[in-house]
C-alpha cells in the first residue's frame, strides 16, 4: 500500500474528498498518512483530526523566506516518506530545488481547464474571478503532475463545468469543486497509485511456486531475488541460510527417509563474476559448466524439467553479471532462454507455475515470457512488498540481494517462515 501526504492551506474540501474516497474504496491503492498545512488555522486540520490522520503545521508566515518554509516541509515529509504528495488547495508554488530533493510523485488539483487560467498568480477565487471576467462559457478543473513550471506538469485528468449567467466567483468555485475537483482528484490519485505501485504480481497471488527476479534498481544497483513457496509439510519446513556469498536451503526437522533431492539444493552460487540463481540442482550444473569454460545455455541444455509427476515442475534459472542477465525455463513444452540488457528500475520475474492457479490442482507450468517488473531502490521495501504479496498460506522463504552499482558489495535480506 502506497503512502500519501496531503498538503493544504485552507478549507480542505479536496482533502475531505480524498478521505471520503478512502472510506468508500474509490481510493484503495494508497493511504493518507500525513497532512501538512501551511496555515495554523486551516479547517483542513480539523478534517484531518476527525479522520485520525496525523497533521502538522508548517506556517508560511512564520518562516523567514520560502527556502526556510520548503526546508521545514521537507523535514516533515521525510518523516512520513510518502510515495505520493497531493497538493489539495496548497497555495504555494514549490521551487525546482524542492522538487529535486523530493522523490515522491507530486499531484496538484487546479480549478481551471489548464492551460487556461493557470500559472503564477492564479489560485483559489482569483482563478474563478478571471474566468468570469474573460466571458468564457465553460471552465473546469485539472489534476496534473507537478514539475518546475507552475501548473505545467503532465495533465492526468480534467473535467469541464458550465458557467451559469448569474455566477459569482464563489458560486462558480463551489460548482467547480463539487462537480469536478472532488470527483477527478480521488480517481486520479488512485490511478497514479496503481501505476506506480511496486506490486510484483498483477493479481493477488495464489501459487506461483518458486520464483526468480533479476534486474537493476532505479539508481543502477544490480539485484536478484529468489522465493520458494510450498504445500507439503517437508516443502514448508525449508529455511534459507547464507553460506559466504551463496545461499543454501536447510530443513527444520530433517527426516532421513525423505527424498530431499528436489527440495534441498543451493539456489545461489557464484562463479567468477557470475551469480547463478535457480530452483534446483541445476545451479551446480551451471556452476560446473562455467568453471570449465561452458555456458549457462550449454549447461541447461543437458537438463530438463523435474520428474515430479503429475506437475513436472519447470526448472527455472537465471544468471546475472555486470553486463546483463539471462533467465531460462525448462518445461515439458521445451527449453526457453531469455536474455536482457540492464534498464534502470526494471527487472524480470519468472516463476514455476501460473500464479493464479489454486494449489490443490495439477499445477500448470509458467507460460509466456518473464514478466517485466519495476525495481525500486529501497531493498527493504522491495523485499517487504514481495513477501507480503506472496501471502501467508504458502510462502516459505525469500532472499533478496541488492549489489552496489560497481557489483563489488551487496546488502541482502532473508525471510523465513520457519526457523531452525
Ligand atoms: C480548490 O479549488 C483548489 O483547486 C484550489 O484552491 C481550492 C482549495 O479548496 N487550488 C488552487 O488554486 C491551487 N493553484 P480546499 O482547501 O477546500 O480543497
Amino acid at each position: 500500500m502506497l503512502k500519501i501526504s496531503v498538503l493544504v492551506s485552507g478549507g480542505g474540501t479536496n482533502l475531505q474528498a480524498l478521505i471520503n474516497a478512502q472510506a468508500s474504496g474509490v481510493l484503495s491503492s494508497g493511504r493518507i498518512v500525513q497532512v501538512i498545512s501551511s496555515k495554523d488555522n486551516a479547517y483542513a486540520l480539523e478534517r484531518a483530526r476527525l479522520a485520525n490522520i496525523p497533521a502538522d503545521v508548517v506556517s508560511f508566515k512564520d518562516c523567514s523566506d520560502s527556502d526556510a518554509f520548503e526546508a521545514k516541509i521537507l523535514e516533515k515529509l521525510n518523516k512520513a516518506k510518502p510515495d505520493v504528495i497531493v497538493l489539495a488547495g496548497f497555495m504555494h508554488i514549490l521551487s525546482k530545488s524542492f522538487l529535486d530533493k523530493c522523490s515522491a510523485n507530486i499531484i496538484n488539483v487546479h480549478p481551471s481547464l489548464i492551460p487556461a487560467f493557470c500559472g503564477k498568480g492564479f489560485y483559489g477565487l482569483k482563478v474563478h474571478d478571471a474566468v468570469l471576467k474573460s466571458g468564457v462559457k465553460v471552465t473546469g478543473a485539472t489534476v496534473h503532475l507537478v514539475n518546475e513550471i507552475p501548473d505545467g506538469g503532465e495533465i492526468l485528468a480534467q473535467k469541464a463545468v458550465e458557467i451559469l449567467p448569474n455566477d459569482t466567483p464563489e458560486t462558480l468555485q463551489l460548482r467547480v469543486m463539487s462537480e469536478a475537483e472532488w470527483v477527478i482528484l480521488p480517481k486520479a490519485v488512485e490511478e497514479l497509485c496503481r501505476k506506480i505501485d511496486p506490486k510484483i504480481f498483477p493479481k493477488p497471488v495464489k501459487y506461483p511456486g518458486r520464483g526468480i527476479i533479476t534486474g537493476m534498481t532505479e539508481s543502477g544497483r544490480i539485484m536478484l531475488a529468489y522465493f520458494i513457496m510450498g504445500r507439503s509439510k517437508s516443502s514448508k519446513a525449508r529455511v534459507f541460510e547464507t553460506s559466504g556469498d551463496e545461499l543454501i536451503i536447510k530443513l527444520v526437522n530433517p527426516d532421513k527417509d525423505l527424498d530431499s533431492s528436489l527440495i534441498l539444493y543451493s539456489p545461489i552460487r557464484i562463479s567468477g563474476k557470475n551469480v547463478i540463481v535457480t530452483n534446483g540442482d541445476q545451479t551446480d550444473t551451471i556452476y560446473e559448466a562455467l568453471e570449465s569454460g561452458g555456458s549457462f545455455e550449454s549447461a541447461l541444455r543437458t537438463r530438463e524439467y523435474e520428474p515430479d509427476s503429475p506437475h513436472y515442475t519447470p526448472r527455472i534459472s537465471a544468471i546475472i553479471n555486470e553486463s546483463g542477465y539471462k533467465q531460462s525455463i525448462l518445461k515439458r513444452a521445451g527449453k526457453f532462454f531469455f536474455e536482457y540488457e540492464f534498464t534502470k528500475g526494471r527487472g524480470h520475474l519468472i516463476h514455476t507455475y501460473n500464479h493464479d492457479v489454486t494449489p490443490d490442482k495439477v499445477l500448470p507450468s509458467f507460460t509466456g515470457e518473464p514478466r517485466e517488473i519495476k525495481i525500486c531502490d529501497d531493498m527493504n521495501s522491495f523485499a517487504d512488498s514481495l513477501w507480503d504479496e506472496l501471502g501467508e498460506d504458502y510462502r516459505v522463504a525469500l532472499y533478496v540481494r541488492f549489489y552496489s552499482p560497481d557489483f563489488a558489495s551487496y546488502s541482502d535480506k532473508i525471510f523465513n517462515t520457519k526457523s531452525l
Side-chain angles (χ1 to χ4, degrees):
M1 176 83 71
L2 297 188
K3 291 187 282 181
I4 303 169
S5 292
V6 184
L7 273 51
V8 295
S9 302
T13 60
N14 278 298
L15 167 66
Q16 191 64 53
L18 293 168
I19 294 170
N20 296 349
Q22 208 167 258
S24 69
V26 168
L27 175 54
S28 61
S29 303
R31 182 168 43 95
I32 307 169
V33 294
Q34 177 184 47
V35 169
I36 303 175
S37 171
S38 65
K39 284 198 185 134
D40 54 11
N41 60 354
Y43 187 68
L45 289 166
E46 179 64 8
R47 294 182 192 273
R49 197 187 60 77
L50 291 171
N52 283 320
I53 301 167
D56 277 308
V57 176
V58 175
S59 170
F60 183 74
K61 67 175 173 21
D62 295 342
C63 292
S64 51
D65 55 21
S66 52
D67 286 351
F69 173 67
E70 288 187 347
K72 281 197 183 159
I73 300 252
L74 271 177
E75 199 183 298
K76 301 279 183 205
L77 288 171
N78 283 339
K79 288 200 183 116
K81 298 199 185 341
D83 304 287
V84 173
I85 298 170
V86 183
L87 309 183
F90 182 68
M91 300 302 179
H92 308 271
I93 291 172
L94 296 167
S95 70
K96 180 166 187 318
S97 106
F98 178 95
L99 299 174
D100 288 345
K101 285 183 205 128
C102 191
S103 61
N105 289 271
I106 311 180
I107 229 177
N108 181 42
V109 56
H110 181 79
S112 77
L113 292 174
I114 290 175
F117 307 103
C118 63
K120 205 159 178 262
F122 284 100
Y123 57 87
L125 281 172
K126 286 177 196 264
V127 177
H128 304 291
D129 194 38
V131 164
L132 290 176
K133 283 191 175 126
S134 76
V136 294
K137 298 292 178 224
V138 174
T139 183
T142 303
V143 176
H144 63 93
L145 291 177
V146 172
N147 64 10
E148 62 282 4
I149 304 161
D151 298 326
E154 183 192 336
I155 292 173
L156 301 177
Q158 284 189 308
K159 191 159 189 265
V161 173
E162 207 182 328
I163 294 166
L164 301 180
N166 294 327
D167 263 335
T168 62
E170 288 78 11
T171 60
L172 184 58
Q173 179 182 50
L174 185 58
R175 224 173 38 261
V176 167
M177 283 189 181
S178 61
E179 288 180 15
E181 295 183 44
W182 305 339
V183 181
I184 61 173
L185 179 65
K187 283 190 192 158
V189 173
E190 171 65 15
E191 274 167 30
L192 179 71
C193 287
R194 280 198 196 165
K195 200 169 132 204
I196 63 173
D197 194 340
K199 268 199 170 48
I200 309 279
F201 295 93
K203 288 188 258 171
V205 165
K206 283 188 181 158
Y207 198 64
R210 270 63 67 192
I212 299 171
I213 298 169
T214 41
M216 180 173 263
T217 75
E218 278 160 351
S219 69
R221 300 169 73 186
I222 294 168
M223 66 74 60
L224 57 100
Y226 180 58
F227 66 80
I228 57 176
M229 301 177 88
R231 299 172 305 152
S232 67
K233 201 164 160 250
S234 54
S235 178
K236 283 185 172 226
R238 292 180 290 175
V239 170
F240 280 173
E241 201 176 270
T242 50
S243 163
D245 50 9
E246 303 192 336
L247 187 70
I248 55 174
I249 302 179
K250 287 189 167 168
L251 274 179
V252 176
N253 287 314
D255 169 358
K256 56 180 176 2
D257 297 329
L258 176 83
D259 173 9
S260 58
S261 61
L262 292 177
I263 57 171
L264 293 187
Y265 51 90
S266 301
I268 299 181
R269 290 192 71 182
I270 315 287
S271 166
K273 286 198 154 189
N274 296 292
V275 185
I276 307 157
V277 193
T278 91
N279 71 333
D281 63 6
Q282 72 270 28
T283 309
D284 301 329
T285 315
I286 299 166
Y287 175 86
E288 279 146 26
L290 295 180
E291 293 288 307
S292 56
S295 68
F296 179 69
E297 292 85 350
S298 69
L300 287 171
R301 283 192 185 111
T302 68
R303 302 295 308 266
E304 60 175 10
Y305 50 86
E306 295 179 1
D308 60 336
S309 164
H311 308 298
Y312 300 106
T313 298
R315 287 193 190 268
I316 53 170
S317 314
I319 186 164
I320 187 162
N321 56 37
E322 279 164 311
S323 48
Y325 56 97
K326 294 175 186 175
Q327 294 189 347
S328 159
I329 183 162
L330 310 178
K331 51 183 182 175
R332 285 214 286 178
K335 301 182 181 182
F336 300 87
F337 296 89
F338 307 90
E339 184 166 0
Y340 301 98
E341 284 171 8
F342 285 123
T343 306
K344 282 186 177 169
R346 292 271 176 258
H348 285 86
L349 161 69
I350 190 159
H351 44 87
T352 53
Y353 311 120
N354 272 342
H355 80 83
D356 51 356
V357 74
T358 22
D360 55 355
K361 306 242 167 66
V362 173
L363 298 164
S365 298
F366 175 92
T367 50
E369 292 176 23
R371 224 166 59 74
E372 187 177 287
I373 56 167
K374 287 184 188 169
I375 313 281
C376 66
D377 257 317
D378 180 343
M379 184 188 69
N380 287 317
S381 84
F382 175 86
D384 290 350
S385 328
L386 177 52
W387 187 240
D388 199 40
E389 273 188 63
L390 292 176
E392 285 176 9
D393 294 346
Y394 301 106
R395 68 187 177 196
V396 175
L398 165 67
Y399 180 78
V400 180
R401 182 180 291 184
F402 276 29
Y403 280 93
S404 55
D406 63 4
F407 211 40
S409 59
Y410 63 80
S411 326
D412 61 357
K413 188 159 182 171
I414 293 189
F415 288 92
N416 281 311
T417 310
K418 298 251 164 59
S419 52
L420 284 171

